[in-house]
Amino acid sequence: MQKINIAISSFGNVGRAILKTHQEHVAKFGKKHDINIVGIIRRNASGGLLDKIPVVSDVRSLKVKPDVIICAAPSGHVKKDVKKFLSLGISTVDCYDSHAKIIAVREELSKLAIKNSAVSIFATGWDPGFDSIQRALFAQLSPIGETLTTFGPGRSMGHTTEVKDIKGVKDAVSLTLPGNKPGMQKRQVYVVADKLEQKRIESEIKKHPYFVKDPTEVKFVPSIAKYDTDKHQGHLLNCDKDVRVEVTLSGVNPIMTANMMYAAARAAYRAFLNKEFGCFTVVERSPLDFVQGSTIKERLLGIRY
């Protein structure tokens, strides 16, 4: 089996989770594992090794050129990384999660990917990503029903990162809680900051595009330790007069995101081999493209079709 060479760009919560996913994948499948990690790309790289993997600040320093780079930076920063790697003709996977901007950004990245003969699998993760696939399936099974997605309770990595980027915030966590009815949620944000900064910080949070559409409560605390969690969940519901379908997903937030991104590296590589250049969301690629196996038959057997 020809292995897919990947690199991880950015090594925060999601980047570390991708490495953990890879280690567990190798432990389970042994010689049959289909992905190699050839490098970790970090802004402040020491040039050393991490779990025997080279750590560099520039992908061009790697001895083995990656087939796909998994871009694990927060959503607000990841587009810059994706554009940089696509410009070098290297395919990418990312977990961009600004739902309202996905269609426009996909079109922008697709032009760049096509120009440089590369593939971008865009907005992966568990939502958008896995849940997006469920919503597409719901539209088949219950075409006249409305699909409602309710998030929480749990920690939103994207919202937490956006709060931490606000000037004067020393530490923070943003929790998502189910709203008063299906399809709605509310935000509860815990922030460590100096008293003189608190009024401005609360105002910036509530006006931020990530928070402005949801009821948001900001609490200033001496420490976020007792409020923080790595868990999250989502509940999807679609029903009409004849059909009712529900899916609930829960688990460790970075791991759920990492698992989908790791699988998406296969889809990016297979699209590249077929010269299907461009930027695609997960619902645009065959589910089998994300599954391990060198042939379609092997993959069908793997999912116990």
Side-chain angles (χ1 to χ4, degrees):
M1 177 189 295
Q2 182 176 354
K3 290 184 170 46
I4 305 166
N5 291 323
I6 71 167
I8 302 170
S9 174
S10 188
F11 205 65
N13 289 332
V14 175
R16 291 192 294 271
I18 293 165
L19 178 58
K20 183 175 185 291
T21 292
H22 176 71
Q23 291 167 335
E24 292 178 349
H25 186 85
V26 173
K28 179 176 180 179
F29 294 103
K31 292 182 179 180
K32 290 186 178 181
H33 81 274
D34 59 344
I35 292 176
N36 284 330
I37 298 182
V38 299
I40 294 170
I41 306 162
R42 306 184 71 176
R43 186 180 305 167
N44 299 317
S46 62
L49 298 174
L50 180 61
D51 193 46
K52 300 182 181 180
I53 301 168
V55 181
V56 299
S57 58
D58 188 332
V59 64
R60 290 167 291 192
S61 300
L62 292 174
K63 292 181 179 180
V64 178
K65 180 181 177 181
D67 299 308
V68 181
I69 297 178
I70 300 183
C71 300
S75 187
H77 306 275
V78 76
K79 187 172 82 166
K80 181 180 177 181
D81 291 343
V82 171
K83 292 176 75 171
K84 176 175 64 178
F85 298 131
L86 291 178
S87 296
L88 294 172
I90 305 174
S91 296
T92 62
V93 168
D94 68 78
C95 56
Y96 186 85
D97 69 354
S98 296
H99 290 257
K101 299 179 181 179
I102 284 174
I103 294 174
V105 176
R106 172 195 168 279
E107 292 177 358
E108 177 187 354
L109 293 177
S110 198
K111 293 175 183 177
L112 184 61
I114 291 169
K115 179 182 177 181
N116 293 282
S117 300
V119 175
S120 166
I121 304 296
F122 181 61
T124 69
W126 67 272
D127 199 310
F130 179 83
D131 284 355
S132 306
I133 297 169
Q134 307 313 307
R135 287 188 280 268
L137 295 175
F138 284 11
Q140 299 172 44
L141 186 65
S142 180
I144 64 172
E146 179 185 8
T147 298
L148 300 172
T149 306
T150 307
F151 298 107
R155 180 185 197 259
S156 170
M157 293 188 294
H159 287 77
T160 297
T161 298
E162 293 299 320
V163 174
K164 286 184 174 182
D165 282 347
I166 294 174
K167 182 180 178 181
V169 172
K170 296 179 180 180
D171 203 359
V173 61
S174 179
L175 303 182
T176 304
L177 304 174
N180 296 326
K181 58 182 181 179
M184 298 185 67
Q185 42 272 322
K186 53 190 177 183
R187 314 288 177 183
Q188 200 161 66
V189 188
Y190 295 93
V191 181
V192 179
D194 292 336
K195 192 173 182 63
L196 293 176
E197 303 276 9
Q198 293 179 3
K199 187 175 181 180
R200 174 187 57 78
I201 290 170
E202 180 173 2
S203 177
E204 287 193 34
I205 291 171
K206 291 184 175 181
K207 291 178 180 178
H208 192 285
Y210 269 48
F211 293 91
V212 72
K213 293 183 179 180
D214 298 320
T216 300
E217 182 180 13
V218 180
K219 295 184 178 182
F220 291 92
V221 294
S223 169
I224 67 165
K226 70 177 182 178
Y227 309 104
D228 202 3
T229 177
D230 60 4
K231 303 292 187 2
H232 208 348
Q233 70 179 49
H235 179 80
L236 292 88
L237 169 66
N238 180 301
C239 57
D240 62 30
K241 61 185 179 64
D242 298 313
V243 179
R244 180 184 178 92
V245 56
E246 296 182 66
V247 170
T248 298
L249 176 70
S250 63
V252 177
N253 197 355
I255 293 295
M256 293 192 295
T257 300
N259 287 346
M260 280 297 296
M261 295 178 78
Y262 190 80
R266 300 186 183 101
Y269 180 66
R270 287 164 180 160
F272 176 82
L273 290 181
N274 291 332
K275 297 185 178 180
E276 299 174 22
F277 307 127
C279 178
F280 308 92
T281 60
V282 294
V283 296
E284 297 173 80
R285 308 307 304 177
S286 164
L288 277 183
D289 286 350
F290 295 76
V291 176
Q292 175 174 301
S294 56
T295 66
I296 290 177
K297 181 179 179 180
E298 186 179 345
R299 283 175 245 161
L300 287 172
L301 289 170
I303 65 169
R304 299 178 183 178
Y305 199 90

